[in-house]
Amino acid sequence: MLTAFTRAFKTPDLRKKLLFTLAILALFRLGSHVPTPGISYTLVQQCQAVAGQTNGVLGLANLFSGGALLQLSIFALGVMPYITASIIVQLLTVVIPKFEELKKEGQAGQTKMTQYTRYLTIGLSLLQSSTLITFARNPSSLFGGSCQTIMPDDSIKVVLIMVLTMTAGSGLIMWMGELITDKGIGNGMSLLIFIAIAARFPESLWAIKDQGWDKFILVIIVGLVIIALVVFVEECTRRVPVQYAKRMVGRRMYGGTSTYIPLKLNMANVIPIIFASSMLALPTLVAQFNRPANGVNTPGWVNWIDTYLARGDHPIYMVIYFVLILFFTFFYVSITFQPTEVADNMKKYGGFIPGIRAGRPTAEYLDYVLTRITVPGAIYLAVISMIPLIAFVLLKADQNFPFGGASVIIIVGVGLQTVKQIESQLQQHHYEGFLR
Amino acid sequence: MTAVKTGLEVLLIVGGIFLTLLILMHKGKGGGLSDMFGGGVTSNLGGSSIAERNLDRFTVAVAIIWFAAIVGIGLINRFGL
């Protein structure tokens, strides 16, 4: 394992890529700590010290930004606008026929869609930074009641400069991610998310230590078991065998090979968790805006949302979360994997699943297998995402509990992906890799 | 010192706008959502063109100016120069 690392660094080509990636990641972390002009760093630190648990509205966004969001740094928005934009574009491919055409075009269409995603990212960052700064002008909603102000001067000029800076910042993050994808190793965007989440690990773990060493050690052991489990499930695939017919084109023989379609157990990955938490954050957000000034009675439904949906430790919240994740897993898998399309493609190139006729029966078979596989996949996803909520109740940990939910799946998924890519690069140089 | 601060703020605004535009001028790399969360190993073949490389240089330069302006304003605010 370690020798493989040294070998990776001895290969000049790979060393350059690894160092480039590390440099960009270091810049990303540096930027996460630089406060936006107009924000007083000292006041933010004071407010963070008195703030209790993290706000449910910002939970996932803060997780993805690596704590930069609550520091209101220039990279406060992190990769969140890009993720949101990608989700929107992906969903639009189902709705808008023009996008569907682009998707079918292959590489050229994909490039065009990426371009749309980038424009949308900038638009969304404008929106999200304005929202964040609206919160920052009245910071008690971010940090709790005792925090009076974090902006010494909140005139319209300062606010505009802040919006512009944060937008440019998230644009820069997008470009840094693309640079890593292009010139470094691994997928840039996911590595940036990975780093943002991993940067919070030591802090959250250390917070658990305050409740006693026995709990700390227990959490570490449970965490290792969870990671092993996640690695195991992430690597689970059902291989549907496909046989290609031999055919002659001119003097050359094509096909005749047998391959397989890999159907992952957890094909949707963390996306259902992202969907479900953003959906659950919506009512809280609406309630926030409908809370009347002091002295007036709050409407009944706002109170209801505050008791049941605002915090993760209530059973009703957990049940809704669980059901939403199950639903979104099936929803997302049905969007990304279309059995009819796969079956048509196979038919076009003379492929078939042994024992099943090409065309519609194949599509039906794939659909059947996929649905069966997704059932345990969805339950696994829902259970994993429950872990932070349960830890929240048992250990009084904060929402960024390190082992569970979206964070552990992202960490494991990105880690595996990156190591696999280094592995394949090493093999090009005939060296032994990390995975044996 | 107010003059310097105003100058830095102008630099920040212009730099921010230029940076965003320059970044949007790049050709997008990477594909879609499922690619992002461990969808599979993507191959990135083909180098970048001369135009793209010049664009890279411009973007880096503007980014450095932009960042310097932020740090400058931060220092002025912090120490009240």
Side-chain angles (χ1 to χ4, degrees), chain A residues 343-415:
Chain A
D344 278 351
N345 272 334
M346 270 164 49
K347 198 165 84 176
K348 224 187 275 171
Y349 295 106
F352 59 92
I353 300 168
I356 290 154
R357 294 175 65 174
R360 209 165 58 103
T362 306
E364 274 165 9
Y365 176 73
L366 283 177
D367 193 37
Y368 171 79
V369 172
L370 192 66
T371 317
R372 288 283 184 108
I373 285 180
T374 312
V375 172
I379 293 173
Y380 148 81
L381 209 56
V383 168
I384 289 282
S385 62
M386 281 290 129
I387 292 170
L389 298 188
I390 293 164
F392 188 71
V393 177
L394 289 183
L395 293 168
K396 296 181 184 60
D398 60 352
Q399 279 222 328
N400 305 313
F401 180 68
F403 301 114
S407 40
V408 79
I409 299 179
I410 291 177
I411 291 273
V412 169
V414 177

Side-chain angles (χ1 to χ4, degrees), chain A residues 90 118 181 183 190 269, chain B residues 23 26 33 36-37 44 56:
Chain A
Q90 172 124 40
R118 305 175 84 236
T181 313
K183 296 190 178 117
S190 31
N269 226 309
Chain B
I23 284 168
H26 280 91
L33 194 60
M36 218 150 56
F37 298 107
N44 33 26
D56 277 356

Side-chain angles (χ1 to χ4, degrees), chain A residues 74 86 90 110 114-115 118-119 122 157 161 164-165 171-172 175 181-183 187 189-190 269-270 332 417, chain B residues 9 12-13 16-17 20 23-24 26 28-33 35-38 40 44 56 59-60 66-67 70:
Chain A
I74 49 172
S86 317
Q90 172 124 40
Q110 184 62 52
T114 314
Q115 207 56 262
R118 305 175 84 236
Y119 295 140
I122 297 296
K157 186 194 84 178
I161 289 183
L164 184 73
T165 312
L172 195 60
W175 188 53
T181 313
D182 196 21
K183 296 190 178 117
N187 183 299
M189 280 304 161
S190 31
N269 226 309
V270 288
Y332 191 74
Q417 186 190 6
Chain B
E9 274 172 0
L12 178 66
I13 294 169
I17 292 172
T20 314
I23 284 168
L24 282 182
H26 280 91
K29 295 277 158 51
L33 194 60
D35 212 37
M36 218 150 56
F37 298 107
N44 33 26
D56 277 356
T59 318
V60 169
W66 177 76
F67 190 75
I70 289 171

